[in-house]
Amino acid sequence: MATVVEPLPSLPLARVRLAPHSALPRRIDGAWWPRSRDLLGELPLLIGTLPRLWGQITAVTVNTAMWPMSPGRMLVANHVVLLRRSTGPYGRHTISLLSQGRGRRELLVVPPEVDAADAEPLMAAAAAGDR
């Protein structure tokens, strides 16, 4: 009798578009379109897709209007990421990613409930970005 081995479920890929690498700083470094507002579920997928050039992400700042629930820290890929929360209108639709020694990167966050027809142009524009 043959044994049937079920394939392991694959993790969904993060929907991210990043601006091309540049030595000059940018206001927005790309865009992220999470599938939900579950930061604990979505953030590891995002961090796992970032280029090595960005370094190890050690802290993330999110806005409470976009992400209502989050602990003060979480374990991602065997390292602790500090989660900071912002309450002001600045940064409501962005996420700030900090890497020690590599600086801070800002991504536009397209709300998960936005449909693909609207999300795709926003992400493309953010990835093309201004310097």
Side-chain angles (χ1 to χ4, degrees):
M1 183 170 165
T3 303
V4 176
V5 178
E6 294 291 324
L8 294 174
S10 61
L11 292 174
L13 298 175
R15 300 181 293 190
V16 178
R17 289 226 187 140
L18 301 176
H21 173 68
S22 171
L24 299 173
R26 299 177 181 272
R27 266 185 318 129
I28 295 291
D29 298 290
W32 176 42
W33 182 26
R35 288 178 171 76
S36 74
R37 291 184 186 261
D38 173 17
L39 189 61
L40 297 180
E42 297 288 343
L43 193 57
L45 294 173
L46 170 63
I47 290 175
T49 64
L50 298 176
R52 288 182 182 229
L53 178 67
W54 285 24
Q56 186 177 58
I57 302 301
T58 56
V60 173
T61 302
V62 298
N63 191 283
T64 56
M66 178 70 93
W67 307 100
M69 300 290 291
S70 67
R73 67 187 73 175
M74 67 184 289
L75 191 63
V76 177
N78 293 322
H79 73 274
V80 174
V81 176
L82 299 177
L83 299 176
R84 300 178 179 138
R85 298 167 53 88
S86 167
T87 58
Y90 172 77
R92 181 175 181 176
H93 291 287
T94 61
I95 185 170
S96 180
L97 306 159
L98 180 68
S99 175
Q100 289 184 343
R102 303 278 175 102
R104 186 181 76 196
R105 307 288 179 138
E106 300 282 333
L107 297 178
L108 170 74
V109 178
V110 178
E113 56 275 2
V114 171
D115 64 39
D118 293 328
E120 288 298 327
L122 289 170
M123 293 181 67
D130 301 333
R131 288 191 195 265

